Amino acid sequence: MYAIIGAGPMGLASARNLQKLGIPFIGFEQHSDVGGLWDIDNPHSTMYDSAHLISSKRMTEFAEFPMDDSVAPYPHHSEMRRYFHDYASHFQLRRHYEFNTRVIELTPDGDGWMLLSERDGVQQRRRFDGVLIANGTLHKPNIPGLPGQFSGELMHSADYRSPEVFKGKRVLLVGCGNSGADIAVDAVHHAASVDISLRRGYYFLPKFVRGRPIDTLGGKRRLPRPLKQRVDAAMIRMILGKPSDYGLPDPDYRMYESHPVVNSLILHHLGHGDITPRRDIAAIDGHRVRFADGASAEYDLILQATGYQLDYPFIERRHLNWPESEDAPQLYMNIFHPQYDNLFMMGMIEATGLGWEGRNQQARLVALYLHHRQAGSQAVAALDQARQNRAGERLDGGYRYIKLARMAYYVNKEVYLAALHRHIAELEQALPAAPADLVVSQ
């Protein structure tokens, strides 16, 4: 029996793939239903009222469960919750889960794992043959210290829900990832003023080009990496201009070496003066904030859109091959542990365009690996050798990703998918029957 921790998109994909190969499992989820952070009613969700997908639905959906044609190209979070609820119902996955159940501790126990869970104040300790950790990467806010003492209201984007919080206030947003850009646009319509402070530059992409979602564009011929970086950056400059045209810092790295901001409105509002660009914060004294260029202003609210840290509070870092010097566990393909053959990190990955289907392929590979291990097959030998010798290897395709914690588990989509498909093909070829023949009752 295996355990799956989490019932968000990655937990559901893990459950579905174990189910398809008849591998018994129990899922654990803190919330009362599936969907993870996409369920805004989940107390652990970091969702906000205006949130939409930043990748288009056709580039994001599970291949075996397409989103309805009536759903917008960039669905609202409520549509996404419905999608995951429907996915779980269609494949009858809820029956495998224990909801309202928190995993407290996970420790090695011989050749298995001991899992301590709690529900309604009652704790239960159970032993599992292996564990798939799928509790997500966007739960623990990254809250860097500020240079001084702020007398106004201080919050993180993780705590943001509604733009009503901005009503009549002088607002400073710190950081401009995809959530930060969304929230800045929300604030424009409610705040007395909106400023945004950036320490480094970003590449900004529109959501649509010629009426099509930008992530569906691209020539049939794949360009060499350096050429693609130059061509795509030139195309975006032609469409939108440079960030410095809007008063923002230009990136000091090449395109795709950090996750771009996909937002069609942030530059619009900067260009109309609705949002004032600011440099990095140099000092804070009461309500007054001084910036690196010497400018200063007073604010009632500072919202830090400064991202998240990986957090697995139920297991010690040493069991994840996660040295203190590293920003992420050092695993093969961000999944496989070099020592443990029964502990898997699911969904600890970011890549432009990977979507949930790419993550579903992760789950397919793990399910195949477990199937062959249970059968005592030698088909896993090559994968075992890779996980033992290549843990922490960056499948970056030659991109020099900037050295930030949020980029520590970033990969290149094409290179990563090629490795996934190669390993999957090796294991599927060794199956005694076609994969479809092994699907158990749903």
Side-chain angles (χ1 to χ4, degrees), residues 247-303:
L248 300 174
D250 289 322
D252 58 0
Y253 52 89
R254 301 182 69 182
M255 194 160 191
Y256 304 125
E257 293 178 348
S258 181
H259 198 68
V261 177
V262 185
N263 189 296
S264 297
L265 295 175
I266 182 74
L267 298 183
H268 168 89
H269 285 294
L270 282 159
H272 284 75
D274 301 326
I275 300 172
T276 300
R278 298 290 189 180
R279 292 297 186 253
D280 193 18
I281 296 175
I284 297 177
D285 183 10
H287 286 271
R288 182 159 291 277
V289 177
R290 180 168 56 83
F291 300 97
D293 61 357
S296 67
E298 291 196 344
Y299 301 96
D300 304 303
L301 187 155
I302 295 178
L303 187 147

Side-chain angles (χ1 to χ4, degrees), residues 107-353:
T107 55
D109 184 62
D111 59 354
W113 291 86
M114 190 63 69
L115 187 148
L116 178 64
S117 62
E118 181 179 64
R119 179 177 181 178
D120 296 330
V122 178
Q123 294 187 355
Q124 186 174 7
R125 194 179 297 273
R126 279 167 284 185
R127 187 182 184 281
F128 289 92
D129 297 318
V131 181
L132 287 69
I133 299 175
N135 64 309
T137 60
L138 303 175
H139 293 291
K140 183 179 180 180
N142 176 46
I143 306 177
L146 294 173
Q149 190 68 36
F150 183 58
S151 298
E153 184 179 357
L154 184 64
M155 64 185 297
H156 189 274
S157 57
D159 302 313
Y160 172 71
R161 287 293 182 274
S162 165
E164 288 296 318
V165 71
F166 300 129
K167 193 170 184 179
K169 296 176 183 177
R170 299 165 296 179
V171 176
L172 174 65
L173 279 99
V174 180
C176 189
N178 284 287
S179 294
D182 283 351
I183 295 169
V185 171
D186 281 356
V188 162
H189 305 290
H190 294 79
S193 64
V194 181
D195 293 4
I196 189 164
S197 168
L198 300 187
R199 183 173 56 182
R200 62 173 53 84
Y202 294 79
Y203 285 95
F204 292 87
L205 307 182
K207 284 198 166 182
F208 293 92
V209 175
R210 299 180 66 183
R212 292 176 56 190
I214 192 168
D215 59 359
T216 65
L217 303 178
K220 294 182 180 179
R221 180 177 298 176
R222 187 168 298 164
L223 297 176
R225 176 191 54 76
L227 182 58
K228 178 175 175 58
Q229 288 180 290
R230 289 197 297 270
V231 168
D232 288 3
M235 181 187 73
I236 294 302
R237 282 197 302 271
M238 182 178 66
I239 296 171
L240 298 176
K242 298 183 296 184
S244 55
D245 295 332
Y246 302 85
L248 300 174
D250 289 322
D252 58 0
Y253 52 89
R254 301 182 69 182
M255 194 160 191
Y256 304 125
E257 293 178 348
S258 181
H259 198 68
V261 177
V262 185
N263 189 296
S264 297
L265 295 175
I266 182 74
L267 298 183
H268 168 89
H269 285 294
L270 282 159
H272 284 75
D274 301 326
I275 300 172
T276 300
R278 298 290 189 180
R279 292 297 186 253
D280 193 18
I281 296 175
I284 297 177
D285 183 10
H287 286 271
R288 182 159 291 277
V289 177
R290 180 168 56 83
F291 300 97
D293 61 357
S296 67
E298 291 196 344
Y299 301 96
D300 304 303
L301 187 155
I302 295 178
L303 187 147
Q304 293 177 281
T306 46
Y308 297 85
Q309 298 176 355
L310 294 179
D311 186 36
Y312 307 101
F314 44 80
I315 185 171
E316 294 181 27
R317 289 175 69 115
R318 62 190 177 94
H319 297 315
L320 296 177
N321 198 37
W322 190 1
E324 293 293 336
S325 59
E326 299 291 342
D327 290 318
Q330 302 299 289
L331 309 173
Y332 177 58
M333 298 189 68
N334 292 19
I335 307 172
F336 296 94
H337 197 286
Q339 282 83 45
Y340 300 121
D341 59 14
N342 56 3
L343 182 69
F344 309 93
M345 191 65 74
M346 311 302 298
M348 190 196 76
I349 188 169
E350 287 294 338
T352 300

